[in-house]
Amino acid sequence: MSARTPLWRLTPAQRLLEGGALLNSVAFFAAMPFAPLYMSEHTGLGKPAVGAVVGAVALTAAFGGLAGGVLVDRLGAVPLMRAGLVLHVAVYGLLAAARAPAAIVALFLMLGAARLLVEPGAKKLLSHAADEEGRIFRIRYMTLCAGAIAGPAIGGVLYHVGAVAFFAVPAAFYLAYLLLVLVRNRELAALRPASGDGDASAPSTLQALGATLRDRRLLAVVAGGVLVFFVFSQLESMIPLYMKGRYGDRAEGYFAALFITNAVLALLFQLPIDRVSGRLGRTTMVWAGAAGFTLAFGCFWASPAGLAWLYAGIVFWTVGEGVLLPMPDMAVHEMASDELKGAYFGLSEVRQLGFFLGPVAGGFLLDAGTAPYFAVMGTSIFLCVPLLARRTGSSRPQPVPEAA
């Protein structure tokens, strides 16, 4: 077997795209984790209504992703990304000045639409720049982790300064991303294949929708992604509540330490995971990732016996997360033909539904008791194994014929 190129050795195009992904990630995490607090304080909405607004941003990505992806295939990734970044800058700028509750709610909801214009195009360009395995999506996962560390640190400081300072930061990062896209437009455009992205001969909207929804391999990957996010969402939803019941007022400090440990380990583990995956293959890695989550739930359940179990659990959790979270994007990269990459990556955003369903189901299970909660969560992750372990790149879909 020939030696694989080190994961960190990126081409200029890959560095450009990952730089944009980092700006995007920092901007997102500087504001969105604090959105529930901001709306609660400035709109007078109750907790269920605030939760519905925040959840609607994820649901917009889940159910509108396919439409956004089809637009990317028809109009081009770069023009749609520019439009989405302009919308991001405008929305955050308006949030800095908005005082009416209805305006604040409407502006937060518009962030979901802006995301639909940016994410499918960015992933399509990454796929064009990637190697055959799509390992660049592991780097993208690392940039998300870096943003999850830097973004909340910035937002947490500026939240108490005032709305103008707080919302100016994500606006500035998205503006920097927009300028990067504008200045390096020629390099991004060069990633476009001879046919596909924005090409006049690209499949019509109905053809693209039909071809995407008929691909059973893609639907399996999407379902696998929903299951992964369903389980992954527990760390930020039900695990803190479980800890609150066990540790009382100490839970916040313990959880903060766990969350930081998880983010740091996620960065450190990705390179070893990439090296191991080259030797073991996808099926073994999916089993290992699912086992990591299961062992983590077991450790969390055992944590009343000692705090060391919490930290053992977060190590196993990070292994499961590091293996499984990048895998749906890597699978979509392998299977999607050039002219349908936007639609395929758009539909794959349905996995965001897991972030909505996971906390709801987890809440009911945790109310029923710790045993049902940990048993169901620790075993349900294995449902993703047959969906993600199958090879997806052996036969890419053929180009969709033009309508007569």
Side-chain angles (χ1 to χ4, degrees):
M1 179 183 297
S2 59
R4 302 210 307 173
T5 303
L7 187 63
W8 64 85
R9 193 169 296 170
L10 303 179
T11 66
Q14 290 172 339
R15 287 196 295 270
L16 169 60
L17 292 168
E18 289 300 339
L22 181 60
L23 291 170
N24 190 1
S25 179
V26 173
F28 179 85
F29 285 109
M32 288 309 295
F34 305 95
L37 292 175
Y38 189 85
M39 280 189 288
S40 178
E41 293 177 9
H42 293 84
T43 65
L45 295 176
K47 290 183 178 65
V50 169
V53 175
V54 175
V57 176
L59 290 179
T60 300
F63 292 107
L66 178 56
V70 170
L71 281 177
V72 165
D73 288 329
R74 294 294 297 170
L75 303 178
V78 178
L80 266 294
M81 287 175 65
R82 288 198 298 261
L85 291 170
V86 168
L87 184 56
H88 269 113
V89 174
V91 168
Y92 279 113
L94 290 171
L95 278 169
R99 297 295 179 266
I104 293 173
V105 170
L107 288 168
F108 270 110
L109 292 175
M110 288 178 66
L111 291 174
R115 185 177 177 85
L116 288 181
L117 297 175
V118 176
E119 287 300 302
K123 289 184 178 180
K124 180 170 184 173
L125 292 176
L126 272 174
S127 184
H128 287 326
D131 61 9
E132 185 176 351
E133 295 179 60
R135 295 161 70 214
I136 188 64
F137 289 100
R138 293 199 180 278
I139 297 291
R140 185 179 185 275
Y141 166 73
M142 294 172 70
T143 64
L144 292 176
C145 293
I149 296 172
I154 296 170
V157 171
L158 295 179
Y159 183 81
H160 298 287
V161 175
V164 174
F166 176 66
F167 289 118
V169 169
F173 275 101
Y174 279 118
L175 179 60
Y177 191 2
L178 174 62
L179 293 175
L180 183 65
V181 170
L182 292 173
V183 171
R184 308 289 289 276
N185 179 75
R186 183 173 298 178
E187 294 170 64
L188 293 174
L191 292 173
R192 194 186 88 172
S195 63
D197 185 20
D199 194 282
S201 62
S204 70
T205 300
L206 290 178
Q207 288 174 320
L209 288 171
T212 303
L213 294 173
R214 284 195 301 268
D215 193 327
R216 294 182 179 179
R217 300 165 306 156
L218 174 62
L219 298 179
V221 168
V222 170
V226 171
L227 287 165
V228 171
F229 278 16
F230 176 88
V231 172
F232 177 70
S233 68
Q234 301 306 307
L235 184 63
E236 298 178 25
S237 57
M238 294 302 112
I239 295 300
L241 294 182
Y242 166 75
M243 293 174 62
K244 185 72 173 178
R246 294 293 179 181
Y247 301 108
D249 292 339
R250 295 170 295 166
E252 289 83 358
Y254 292 158
F255 180 72
L258 284 182
F259 196 81
I260 294 170
T261 301
N262 170 249
V264 172
L265 290 178
L267 288 172
L268 295 178
F269 283 2
Q270 199 55 219
L271 295 179
I273 287 172
D274 179 69
R275 285 197 293 268
V276 171
S277 68
R279 298 187 182 97
L280 299 183
R282 173 172 295 174
T283 299
T284 303
M285 292 301 293
V286 176
W287 278 104
F293 277 119
T294 299
L295 290 170
F297 281 117
C299 290
F300 293 151
W301 194 2
S303 63
L307 286 176
W309 286 106
L310 284 177
Y311 289 94
I314 209 64
V315 172
F316 286 121
W317 184 278
T318 309
V319 170
E321 172 188 339
V323 170
L324 293 181
L325 256 66
M327 202 161 281
D329 282 335
M330 296 171 70
V332 173
H333 160 76
E334 287 185 354
M335 74 174 69
S337 57
D338 287 335
E339 71 273 14
L340 291 177
K341 281 186 184 293
Y344 272 51
F345 278 114
L347 183 62
S348 72
E349 289 299 305
V350 169
R351 65 182 183 268
Q352 299 287 341
L353 186 60
F355 275 123
F356 177 78
L357 297 176
V360 174
F364 281 112
L365 289 168
L366 195 55
D367 278 345
T370 55
Y373 173 74
F374 285 111
V376 172
M377 290 298 167
T379 55
S380 62
I381 186 62
F382 285 98
L383 295 174
C384 80
V385 173
L387 300 170
L388 296 178
R390 59 192 295 185
R391 294 300 302 178
T392 55
S394 57
S395 59
R396 293 193 178 195
Q398 297 299 313
V400 182
E402 293 187 58

